[in-house]
Amino acid sequence: SGAKTVSVCYFEKDNDWWVSKHIKKFESTVLKVDWHPNNILLATASADNIARVVSGFVRGIDKKPGETHYGARLPFAELLAEYPANGWMHSIGWSPSGDELAFTSHDSTLTVMDCATGTPTVLKLRELPLVDLLWTSETTIVGAGHNFFPRTFVKGADGWAIGKNLDEQKGTVQKKTTGTRAAFNMFQTRVETGQNEVKTAIKTQHKNLVNRVAGAGGSKGAYNVV
């Protein structure tokens, strides 16, 4: 929240009531969170350009997870790792196995952290920033945001790379109008709209930013439709 706090809630059977415990390890507003597949580790994305991994282990409620990339002793609210970026965070998400962590920031990058080694792979886009991401498999991420279209990021033999635009329009490319025809189009636009410029139509399915990517087919970690 804007209070630099994450609330972890659990149901207390004795009191028949929901109880929350607060994690206060943050220097700025927490914008996104994502639970690790073991339901103990919690990844957070903040406005101070830092992704963090904290422990959400609640004694008496959670089973001990055993050894993780961040150790086996995971007391509640323990700060386990910090991963910096060059812009405030928009989204964050664990891989299906929990071995990698991906996050996007406002500098138009997607970063994938290898949690075992702490090695980052930073993919720089020549586009506007991504607002959300989704792991569709262990080797594929789909991200979307201010560019109006979703695109993939794929892990191959050489590591992570920027994939394709999923909303790419296939068909004949229109040639730029010049000469007399261009002058006629500008005159027609001025008559009809009162403007001098001919507006270019948006050719993507979405006409504004995409603020969420969700699975629509398959299962978590193995989506075939988004």
Side-chain angles (χ1 to χ4, degrees):
S1 69
K4 308 176 187 178
T5 301
V6 170
S7 297
V8 177
C9 303
Y10 62 94
F11 187 76
E12 197 171 73
K13 291 183 179 179
D14 293 341
N15 296 318
D16 193 27
W17 197 254
W18 283 92
V19 179
S20 67
K21 299 183 71 173
H22 294 163
I23 301 175
K24 300 179 179 181
K25 298 288 184 179
F26 313 102
E27 301 297 328
S28 186
T29 301
V30 179
L31 301 173
K32 285 286 180 70
V33 300
D34 190 50
W35 284 101
H36 189 276
N38 67 11
N39 290 324
I40 299 296
L41 302 175
L42 184 64
T44 66
S46 299
D48 62 353
N49 306 359
I50 297 177
R52 294 177 175 86
V53 178
V54 295
S55 172
F57 177 78
V58 178
R59 185 181 297 274
I61 300 295
D62 296 314
K63 295 180 180 180
K64 291 185 179 181
E67 190 65 35
T68 72
H69 293 306
Y70 303 96
R73 187 176 179 277
L74 304 171
F76 181 81
E78 183 78 6
L79 178 61
L80 303 172
E82 290 185 326
Y83 304 125
N86 292 319
W88 71 82
M89 304 289 184
H90 284 294
S91 60
I92 194 165
W94 295 97
S95 66
S97 67
D99 291 333
E100 293 181 291
L101 179 66
F103 51 84
T104 66
S105 54
H106 203 65
D107 62 341
S108 294
T109 61
L110 179 139
T111 301
V112 182
M113 295 295 308
D114 183 328
C115 300
T117 64
T119 304
T121 299
V122 181
L123 303 175
K124 177 69 174 177
L125 294 169
R126 295 183 178 181
E127 303 164 0
L128 297 175
L130 300 172
V131 172
D132 199 18
L133 65 85
L134 175 72
W135 289 82
T136 59
S137 71
E138 198 67 34
T139 57
T140 304
I141 300 171
V142 176
H146 290 282
N147 252 10
F148 299 5
F149 60 82
R151 78 155 52 253
T152 62
F153 301 85
V154 181
K155 184 178 184 180
D158 297 325
W160 285 96
I162 299 172
K164 63 180 181 179
N165 171 4
L166 294 179
D167 196 22
E168 189 172 2
Q169 301 297 304
K170 296 181 180 179
T172 57
V173 179
Q174 294 183 350
K175 295 182 179 180
K176 185 177 181 180
T177 307
T178 58
T180 305
R181 187 63 192 177
F184 174 80
N185 289 343
M186 186 180 70
F187 176 76
Q188 187 177 32
T189 300
R190 184 182 300 176
V191 171
E192 294 176 352
T193 66
Q195 299 178 352
N196 292 330
E197 296 182 357
V198 180
K199 292 186 176 180
T200 303
I202 297 175
K203 297 181 180 180
T204 55
Q205 293 290 328
H206 300 88
K207 306 305 178 185
N208 210 321
L209 73 90
V210 182
N211 58 18
R212 185 165 181 249
V213 184
S219 58
K220 187 174 182 180
Y223 291 117
N224 49 36
V225 180
V226 295

